[in-house]
Amino acid sequence: MPPEGKSDMERIGIFKEMGYISVGDKYTPFIYRPFNDSAYKNKQMLSGGAKSKSALQAGYFDTQFKRIFEREAFTDPVKIERQYRIQQSKKNIGKAFLPCNGEKKTCGVGSYYGTFGGPIQAMSALQSPRKPNKSPGKNFYTNPPKKGSGYGYPDVTLSKTVSYSSDPYDRAKEMLKREIVAHKSMLKGGAFRLNLHPVECFDGNPYKFDKPLPPPKKTEDKKHITMPFKPSSPSKKTGGMKAGTFDSYPTYSAEPYGTKKTKSAMMNKEVQIFHPSPGPKSTPVKSIISLNVNKAVNSTNYNRIPSVMVY
């Protein structure tokens, strides 16, 4: 039990309150605490340092170089090209094609040197058999030309005279009429007409009125009064009396009863009337120059400021 104060049982309900810093072990200074004992005991691992890169396996973890593809076939592109060339040459049927020696030049006019046909054999002197000669015959005979220019003269040209044929004056008009009648007889109905004629509106005009309007109503002319209205006598001016009125001025009659005081007037006597406080009154104001002097010159620095005027 502590010499002063309550016991641990009374305070927190336990026999003894343990310390919050340690479990009760003795404190060892930081200087005497051992740290990493294995670093200076027994043999340690020593690195050999960095190695330079070379074609050897030294410096790598594996003792032997491992290929990406193990036991893959080696391909020689030159060998593959040669084999392909040999296979293509086996497809040739005969020997290699050799071009000709070029065209041959002639050594003179009439020479057959360098031609495909070669020299032509000499023609024989014997005459070839011919057909018997046949005379073309005599020319045909015609009558002597007839006199006349041909214009307005019959039987002058080679052709015969044209016979007369009548030509009515309205023949083209009558033929057109016959074609129109024949065309109308072949029609079964009227002409086909589309409702696509351009109009002012999409729908019918609702304001359009096709029915005839009724005859206009005759209005009676009002009779105007030609004579102006004139009053019987001119109006009278009021001169502080009822001279221009219909009724005469009424006579004075005294009030039999006194005037009745209103409730508001009676209440004002009993209750005091509220008067607002007057506004601020004007007071003398110092000038700005004197205020600046008071601010610049005060009780603490009046000795240090040189005086302008000597008193």
Side-chain angles (χ1 to χ4, degrees), residues 14 26 33 55-56 103 115 232 238 265-266:
I14 57 176
K26 295 181 179 180
R33 292 179 187 177
L56 302 177
E103 60 182 5
T115 58
S232 59
T238 58
M266 295 174 66

Side-chain angles (χ1 to χ4, degrees), residues 169-186:
Y169 179 76
D170 295 335
R171 183 184 176 189
K173 192 174 182 180
E174 292 177 359
M175 290 175 67
L176 182 61
K177 284 183 179 180
R178 276 192 247 109
E179 290 178 1
I180 292 171
V181 171
H183 174 68
K184 288 184 178 181
S185 63
M186 295 171 66

Side-chain angles (χ1 to χ4, degrees), residues 11 16 33 81-82 96 105 169 193 203 212 219 223 279:
R11 289 189 302 103
K16 185 178 180 180
R33 292 179 187 177
E81 187 178 356
R82 287 174 182 172
K105 297 181 180 180
Y169 179 76
R193 296 175 182 175
D203 300 329
T219 56
K223 295 180 180 179

Side-chain angles (χ1 to χ4, degrees), residues 17-276:
E17 184 179 6
M18 302 301 294
Y20 294 98
I21 298 174
S22 63
V23 193
D25 51 350
K26 295 181 179 180
Y27 176 73
T28 306
F30 181 76
I31 303 171
Y32 301 105
R33 292 179 187 177
F35 177 73
N36 198 5
D37 296 339
S38 60
Y40 52 86
K41 290 182 181 180
N42 300 327
K43 294 181 179 181
Q44 304 298 323
M45 182 181 69
L46 301 175
S47 60
K51 295 181 180 181
S52 60
K53 189 174 181 181
S54 62
L56 302 177
Q57 197 64 19
Y60 297 96
F61 292 100
D62 297 335
T63 57
Q64 187 180 1
F65 178 75
K66 293 182 179 180
R67 298 172 59 88
I68 299 174
F69 298 101
E70 290 288 340
R71 296 180 182 180
E72 73 275 11
F74 175 71
T75 56
D76 189 3
V78 179
K79 184 178 180 181
I80 292 173
E81 187 178 356
R82 287 174 182 172
Q83 290 177 358
Y84 177 75
R85 203 182 304 158
I86 292 170
Q87 291 177 1
Q88 293 296 327
S89 62
K90 289 180 180 179
K91 295 181 181 180
N92 296 332
I93 298 172
K95 297 180 180 180
F97 173 75
L98 298 175
C100 60
N101 296 330
E103 60 182 5
K104 297 179 180 181
K105 297 181 180 180
T106 57
C107 58
V109 181
S111 175
Y112 297 98
Y113 179 75
T115 58
F116 292 98
I120 300 173
Q121 296 180 1
M123 295 182 294
S124 83
L126 298 174
Q127 293 182 357
S128 59
R130 298 178 181 178
K131 295 180 180 179
N133 188 13
K134 187 178 180 182
S135 62
K138 296 180 180 180
N139 295 329
F140 62 92
Y141 296 99
T142 60
N143 293 328
K146 298 177 181 180
K147 296 178 179 180
S149 62
Y151 181 77
Y153 293 88
D155 294 335
V156 176
T157 57
L158 299 175
S159 59
K160 294 181 180 180
T161 306
V162 180
S163 59
Y164 170 76
S165 58
S166 61
D167 187 11
Y169 179 76
D170 295 335
R171 183 184 176 189
K173 192 174 182 180
E174 292 177 359
M175 290 175 67
L176 182 61
K177 284 183 179 180
R178 276 192 247 109
E179 290 178 1
I180 292 171
V181 171
H183 174 68
K184 288 184 178 181
S185 63
M186 295 171 66
L187 296 176
K188 294 183 179 180
F192 178 71
R193 296 175 182 175
L194 296 174
N195 295 328
L196 300 177
H197 183 71
V199 293
E200 296 179 358
C201 306
F202 292 103
D203 300 329
N205 190 359
Y207 302 102
K208 189 175 181 180
F209 189 74
D210 297 334
K211 295 180 180 180
L213 295 174
K217 296 180 179 179
K218 295 181 179 180
T219 56
E220 296 179 358
D221 297 335
K222 295 181 179 180
K223 295 180 180 179
H224 297 284
I225 300 172
T226 56
M227 296 295 292
F229 172 75
K230 293 182 180 181
S232 59
S233 60
S235 59
K236 298 178 180 179
K237 296 180 180 180
T238 58
M241 56 183 179
K242 298 291 183 177
T245 57
F246 293 99
D247 299 332
S248 59
Y249 194 79
T251 58
Y252 173 75
S253 60
E255 184 71 26
Y257 304 100
T259 57
K260 187 178 181 182
K261 296 182 179 179
T262 58
K263 187 176 181 180
S264 60
M266 295 174 66
M267 291 294 292
N268 291 336
K269 291 182 179 180
E270 297 176 1
V271 182
Q272 295 181 358
I273 301 171
F274 172 75
H275 297 283

